[in-house]
Amino acid sequence: MTLNVRGFAAQSAETELAPHNFVRRDPRDTDVVIDIKYCGVCHSDIHQARNEWHQSVYPLVPGHEIIGYVTHVGAKVTQFKVGDAVGVGCMVDSCQECSTCKADLEQYCEAGPTMTYNSLDRHDGMMTYGGYSEQIVVAEKFVLRVPEALDFKAAAPLLCAGITTYSPLKHWGVKPGDKVAIVGLGGLGHMGLKFAHAMGADVTLFTRSAGKEQEARRLGANHVVLSTDEKQMADVKNHFDFILDTVPHQHDLNPYLDTLKVNGVHILVGLIEPVEPAVHAGKLIGGRKSLVGSLIGGIAETQEMLDFCAENNIGCDVEMINMDQINEAYTRMLNSDVKYRFVIDMDSLKNA
């Protein structure tokens, strides 16, 4: 069962994404074949397409926020049938044997998870290709059921932006009445506001830009603090139980640490580079505060997150684009010109 697939790929770090035909691996007995209906556009797609993390292999087909329908199931597949609405996130496999995999924390697989694209299949050594394409083949264990109550377009980014913000809030036990601050109002930040609000927290947005109060409140914030205003920052000193920091570039963490209570936790989910300027350790020691990080979530927790979204009417705020608009979308993302996530209508690939 050879799958000749059409997609969009980067051929090098310097070239724009363009149509690309390639072959998917033959489905195994435990695999599900999915026709892709929608694919979200994550900032990491840009990092990978432009080799900004210095490990890209070309041609590279991005996309790890995938929603579609099952078209084929292997003989040993038990959880899905043809026609099911399903999703695929950032991972398509892991070793399944280490302690973290056995604890449903496949994202921390000790052997390294197999990522949805730009990763080597651990069974046959073929390169994985992502969701900017017609179809994908994924092991049943890494396929997610999409609840009917969800808007499928708005559900696609939940598979990365959603789980990236949901997982740390759940892991560190955010509960009703906790004071939670979100740093940054983007693809991740707007989901952090929605989740913290749905969990019953008293939610604050930290922002460097004035004029975001109305939008922040629409998304679930109770308060907005301008982080460049010394008085506003002083007013929330020793105030928060948790800070969820979604900013993807280097920024000064020290002023935010001052706003944590004793035993407060500052969680990094956006920054994947050295912390600069340096964190003053006295700010941690002086209040038994924690600076921690979190990476997406395991498959079971991602399913839990999708079900939580269905129960609480939560989706990502999205702007739909056609496949041939992807390069323009990348430029707009870099200029923060999207509220808050692009999603590609993959039917448009037929005419791209």
Side-chain angles (χ1 to χ4, degrees), residues 57 92-93 112-115 117-128:
V57 177
V92 291
D93 204 357
T114 303
M115 309 311 287
Y117 66 89
N118 197 44
S119 192
L120 291 177
D121 184 281
R122 62 198 327 114
H123 301 286
D124 58 26
M126 290 182 65
M127 186 61 62
T128 60

Side-chain angles (χ1 to χ4, degrees), residues 7-19:
F8 256 55
Q11 299 293 337
S12 74
E14 292 77 32
T15 57
E16 291 190 335
L17 272 67

Side-chain angles (χ1 to χ4, degrees), residues 276-293:
E276 291 183 7
V279 169
H280 194 301
K283 295 181 182 295
L284 302 176
I285 293 170
R288 199 163 62 188
K289 302 172 184 179
S290 301
L291 177 61
V292 301

Side-chain angles (χ1 to χ4, degrees), residues 88-337:
V88 179
C90 300
M91 304 175 289
V92 291
D93 204 357
S94 70
C95 79
Q96 299 292 294
E97 297 176 353
C98 68
S99 60
T100 52
C101 284
K102 290 180 179 178
D104 292 328
L105 297 169
E106 298 93 346
Q107 74 273 34
Y108 304 122
C109 175
E110 293 171 14
T114 303
M115 309 311 287
T116 304
Y117 66 89
N118 197 44
S119 192
L120 291 177
D121 184 281
R122 62 198 327 114
H123 301 286
D124 58 26
M126 290 182 65
M127 186 61 62
T128 60
Y129 299 106
Y132 295 9
S133 58
E134 296 171 314
Q135 292 178 301
I136 192 167
V137 181
V138 183
E140 175 186 31
K141 167 76 175 175
F142 286 78
V143 177
L144 298 144
R145 188 172 302 280
V146 180
E148 291 183 4
L150 290 178
D151 177 339
F152 286 3
K153 300 180 184 70
L158 296 177
L159 297 164
C160 179
I163 188 58
T164 295
T165 48
Y166 178 88
S167 180
L169 295 175
K170 287 290 291 186
H171 176 76
W172 275 280
V174 170
K175 61 187 182 300
D178 282 345
K179 290 180 169 59
V180 175
I182 309 297
V183 184
L185 184 58
L188 295 179
H190 94 287
M191 290 306 307
L193 291 175
K194 292 185 180 189
F195 283 134
H197 175 79
M199 293 173 183
D202 183 74
V203 187
T204 296
L205 173 69
F206 276 125
T207 178
R208 296 177 59 86
S209 304
K212 290 188 176 179
E213 183 166 354
Q214 182 176 352
E215 179 71 352
R217 290 184 182 277
R218 179 184 71 82
L219 294 165
N222 303 100
H223 320 278
V224 176
V225 172
L226 193 62
S227 59
T228 54
D229 186 309
E230 291 185 6
K231 183 181 184 304
Q232 290 188 35
M233 292 297 285
D235 287 344
V236 291
K237 186 175 181 179
N238 303 320
H239 182 76
F240 297 107
D241 298 289
F242 303 96
I243 296 173
L244 183 66
D245 189 334
T246 71
V247 175
H249 50 76
Q250 290 173 333
H251 55 290
D252 192 353
L253 306 184
N254 292 285
Y256 299 110
L257 294 173
D258 287 337
T259 71
L260 286 174
K261 295 178 180 178
V262 170
N263 295 322
V265 183
H266 186 132
I267 310 163
L268 298 175
V269 295
L271 185 67
I272 311 179
E273 55 184 303
V275 174
E276 291 183 7
V279 169
H280 194 301
K283 295 181 182 295
L284 302 176
I285 293 170
R288 199 163 62 188
K289 302 172 184 179
S290 301
L291 177 61
V292 301
S294 180
L295 175 69
I296 51 174
I299 298 302
E301 188 175 47
T302 305
Q303 186 65 62
E304 174 189 309
M305 179 270 306
L306 289 172
D307 295 339
F308 181 88
C309 289
E311 293 166 7
N312 291 276
N313 193 29
I314 294 174
C316 198
D317 286 26
V318 303
E319 178 179 337
M320 299 302 300
I321 61 170
N322 291 332
M323 188 71 256
D324 61 7
Q325 296 174 291
I326 188 61
N327 295 299
E328 176 189 350
Y330 277 13
T331 299
R332 287 182 56 193
M333 284 175 66
L334 293 173
N335 292 324
S336 300
D337 180 23

